[in-house]
Amino acid sequence: MLNLQGYGPSILEGTILSLEVSIASLGIAMLLGIIGALSKLSNSKPLRLVAQLYTTIIRGIPDLVLMLLVFFGGQVFINQIGPLVGYDEYIDINPFIAGVSTIGFIFGAYMTETFRGAILAVSKGQLEAGSAYGMSNFLVFRRITLPQMIRHALPAFGNNWLVLIKTTALVSIIGLDDMVRKAGLAAGATRKPFTFYLVVAINYLIITTVSIYLLKYLEKRYSVGVREASD
């Protein structure tokens, strides 16, 4: 039995915060992913160019570097802009907002490619049939594209989610008290780093394992009709 020397509640608090960061980041990533995918498939050349630049740049810069750029660079930028609008006090960027925004922005690029591929996997004949029945583009997307897109996107979406969960460990470097930072503080106080980082590893393993089973359930749920039709 691991002896956490009274730091158990602190690690639990950090674990909950890590989950909050993960879920909030996922929400941003999904929104950016949908926008990016639709932009890449748009007839507008400027939109396609912006989306392509977004995915290329984000996938080419290490996550850690982006986190530091957003947190420290953003703080410098905001404090330079402040005096120009009559605000002279120093402005601190909230680590939670910085962490969630950065991770969401990073994984929005990966979700863009995931959703783009899923949309392209939907039969064009069905989309044309929807338009022929008088459906608007939005209605075609909501009733035809989206349900099938989810099924095609789930495997890659699941991989992105699992990587995103592990990426949340980076928020500890900007001072957010997630479970990695909590473990580091406890390890420094007790001089037992192996014990506390082992607990963190187990926590991440539990979260990802539960996620895998939930994703498998969703994949089965969205594949039921397809399997029946193919039998």
Side-chain angles (χ1 to χ4, degrees):
M1 188 70 178
L2 294 173
N3 181 11
L4 300 183
Q5 300 185 26
Y7 285 96
S10 178
I11 300 296
L12 178 60
E13 183 181 333
T15 303
I16 293 172
L17 183 58
S18 294
L19 283 171
E20 291 174 350
V21 171
S22 298
I23 294 170
S25 299
L26 180 65
I28 294 174
M30 290 175 63
L31 178 61
L32 291 176
I34 288 289
I35 294 172
L38 293 177
S39 297
K40 279 200 166 188
L41 297 172
S42 169
N43 292 325
S44 170
K45 188 174 181 179
L47 282 179
R48 293 199 306 271
L49 179 60
V50 170
Q52 185 61 45
L53 284 173
Y54 166 53
T55 55
T56 300
I57 292 172
I58 294 301
R59 290 187 296 173
I61 301 176
D63 298 350
L64 176 59
V65 175
L66 282 171
M67 183 75 69
L68 294 173
L69 282 174
V70 170
F71 185 67
F72 294 109
Q75 197 152 271
V76 170
F77 176 76
I78 289 175
N79 281 285
Q80 287 180 342
I81 295 296
L84 298 179
V85 295
Y87 192 86
D88 296 323
E89 294 185 18
Y90 187 79
I91 302 171
D92 276 322
I93 293 181
N94 185 297
F96 182 87
I97 294 175
V100 166
S101 301
T102 305
I103 295 174
F105 194 65
I106 291 169
F107 281 87
Y110 296 108
M111 290 296 186
T112 292
E113 296 302 331
T114 295
F115 293 152
R116 174 178 169 273
I119 291 172
L120 289 174
V122 178
S123 170
K124 289 185 178 180
Q126 296 183 44
L127 305 181
E128 292 170 355
S131 298
Y133 273 103
M135 291 184 180
S136 64
N137 289 335
F138 175 75
L139 201 57
V140 169
F141 178 79
R142 185 170 67 86
R143 291 190 174 181
I144 300 175
T145 305
L146 185 60
Q148 296 184 72
M149 184 192 89
I150 292 174
R151 176 171 61 85
H152 292 298
L154 270 174
F157 175 90
N159 288 334
N160 288 334
W161 165 244
L162 295 176
V163 177
L164 185 152
I165 292 171
K166 294 182 288 184
T167 302
T168 59
L170 293 178
V171 298
S172 62
I173 65 171
I174 59 174
L176 191 61
D177 288 330
D178 70 324
M179 60 176 154
V180 175
R181 180 170 168 79
K182 292 282 190 180
L185 294 173
T190 61
R191 296 185 179 180
K192 291 185 177 180
F194 178 79
T195 298
F196 290 100
Y197 287 120
L198 178 60
V199 170
V200 169
I202 292 171
N203 285 347
Y204 273 116
L205 185 59
I206 291 171
I207 294 169
T208 53
T209 301
V210 171
S211 296
I212 288 170
Y213 279 103
L214 287 174
L215 288 164
K216 284 183 178 179
Y217 167 77
L218 289 174
E219 286 183 30
K220 287 181 180 179
R221 179 180 175 83
Y222 279 95
S223 299
V224 169
V226 176
R227 289 175 180 173
E228 289 179 352
S230 62
D231 288 341

